Amino acid sequence: MKKLLLVPFVFLILACSTKYIKFSPSKNEIITTDRLSQFLENNPSPKVVLRTPNFSSQTTEEEDISYLYSAIEKELLSNGFVVRDRNLFNQVVSNNENTVDYAKLKAKTDTDLIIELIKLDREVIYETNKYHTDKGKSGLLDDPYKQYGAAVEFKVVLIDNNEFAGTYKFHYAPCSEGNGCEISESFKERMKRIEKQKEGYVIVEKDVLEEFMRHATLRLVEDMRD
């Protein structure tokens, strides 16, 4: 009798293995110049301004992601940069009748670098049909699972001579750390909302996106100085 009871018990353990999926982030895209790294070596505390996309006709979107701009500026400050007020900087530029003499702009704003946020994409789809279990097994799902990731791209300009100094694109993939994400009912429901485009305006959670932006800014600083 004892031997007969062992078979369904073992089957139950195998059947209850938790399944996880894991996404691999896209490769970061870095183009930087020696001139920039040399400048930063000679000027470890440069004066910078963060320029952001113009959302003048999309006030709600500007308000929604202003906390991300703040996260970028705080990370720059914590890494020794002197951060200029971007609103005042934009006002100086706009007062110049849309033509920019960078020598005059540098003198008026006392700024060394312009760090421009070219693009922020919060709807980067990651998908996979591979899974693994907490028992070390792996396999393929019948259908791929999808989740939203994000990507951010910066451009850097040396203001003294209007020199292009580099572009830097960084990627965030969900479920990329540790075991990844457990395939639970709530996870399945989230995927269904994504497929039906009913996830709502904030695609990636606010705290996750803010942490990604801070990490991307840190990587930006490291790559600029490298």
Side-chain angles (χ1 to χ4, degrees):
M1 290 294 293
K2 290 183 180 180
K3 290 183 179 180
L4 291 175
L5 289 173
L6 285 174
V7 175
F9 181 70
V10 172
F11 176 77
L12 180 62
I13 293 176
L14 292 174
C16 291
S17 294
T18 304
K19 291 182 179 178
Y20 299 87
I21 63 170
K22 195 170 185 177
F23 299 108
S24 298
S26 300
K27 186 177 180 181
N28 294 330
E29 302 163 45
I30 310 299
I31 301 174
T32 191
T33 62
D34 293 336
R35 168 93 160 81
L36 177 59
S37 60
Q38 290 169 3
F39 175 83
L40 292 176
E41 184 176 352
N42 296 327
N43 301 272
S45 297
K47 300 162 187 174
V48 303
V49 65
L50 174 67
R51 297 202 71 184
T52 58
N54 182 12
F55 289 127
S56 58
S57 61
Q58 303 176 37
T59 306
T60 55
E61 185 168 355
E62 165 69 14
E63 291 174 348
D64 183 63
I65 63 176
S66 61
Y67 72 97
L68 296 177
Y69 305 154
S70 178
I72 295 171
E73 291 173 331
K74 287 178 181 177
E75 195 64 34
L76 291 171
L77 282 169
S78 67
N79 281 275
F81 287 67
V82 178
V83 179
R84 296 303 190 205
D85 186 291
R86 53 190 158 87
N87 292 322
L88 290 177
F89 184 92
N90 290 336
Q91 186 176 4
V92 171
V93 174
S94 63
N95 288 341
N96 206 29
E97 298 180 354
N98 297 321
T99 61
V100 179
D101 182 327
Y102 278 84
K104 292 180 180 179
L105 188 60
K106 178 177 174 62
K108 288 182 178 180
T109 62
D110 190 22
T111 302
D112 300 312
L113 296 173
I114 297 174
I115 298 177
E116 183 177 351
L117 195 162
I118 300 175
K119 185 177 182 180
L120 173 61
D121 188 350
R122 294 172 289 169
E123 299 184 33
V124 180
I125 287 287
Y126 282 84
E127 62 178 275
T128 183
N129 65 341
K130 297 179 181 179
Y131 75 87
H132 62 278
T133 73
D134 54 351
K135 306 299 181 184
K137 305 292 183 180
S138 61
L140 298 177
L141 300 162
D142 293 334
D143 298 301
Y145 272 68
K146 302 176 183 179
Q147 293 293 312
Y148 277 118
V152 63
E153 186 172 2
F154 298 96
K155 180 176 75 173
V156 178
V157 174
L158 282 159
I159 200 172
D160 58 353
N161 59 358
N162 189 24
E163 181 179 346
F164 168 77
T167 59
Y168 310 80
K169 187 173 184 179
F170 304 102
H171 299 270
Y172 159 71
C175 311
S176 61
E177 299 180 355
N179 280 331
C181 292
E182 179 183 344
I183 302 178
S184 60
E185 286 304 314
S186 61
F187 189 84
K188 293 177 182 178
E189 288 299 319
R190 180 173 171 80
M191 190 187 78
K192 290 177 183 178
R193 292 197 300 272
I194 289 172
E195 290 179 333
K196 295 179 181 179
Q197 297 183 334
K198 294 182 179 180
E199 187 61 21
Y201 186 73
V202 180
I203 306 302
V204 180
E205 290 84 350
K206 182 177 179 178
D207 57 338
V208 173
L209 195 59
E210 183 174 2
E211 179 62 27
F212 162 61
M213 195 64 74
R214 292 183 71 98
H215 179 72
T217 306
L218 177 59
R219 281 295 313 274
L220 169 67
V221 172
E222 292 174 346
D223 288 323
M224 287 195 302
R225 286 175 168 162
D226 190 7

